[in-house]
Amino acid sequence: MRMVQHWDDFRIRLPQTTFRERMVLPLTDGRLLLESTESSHSEDSILIYDEQDQVLFAGDAFYPPPYHERETETTEAGFSEKVLRQIVAHDVKTILHGHGMPLTRQAVIRELGGA
């Protein structure tokens, strides 16, 4: 099944709200912090941090790729140390990434070579 049935009606809409480094979205019972990151996946990667629940949504900005795709100049997981440090700079308990099971903050710290 095709996701777009009739391309005649398809239009690309530019965003009405943008940000460069950080943006805070207030919620009824907390807030979300949107933060740009320098991911090797794409130039427009962001991290979304739910401060109240201490959950960070990394999407494809960070995910452990298969072993055969890992590179030596990056961390063992194949992503830049800068992205991992940006993740653990938050008081995060759970990291949700784009290709697998959730990770703990401690797992990311281990990836950085910490205890």
Side-chain angles (χ1 to χ4, degrees), residues 24 41 52 57 68 89 100-101 105 115:
V24 175
H41 186 273
Q52 180 173 338
F57 300 88
H68 70 279
M101 299 298 293
R105 183 175 192 275

Side-chain angles (χ1 to χ4, degrees), residues 25 77 79 86 98:
L25 296 176
F79 279 80
Q86 191 174 355

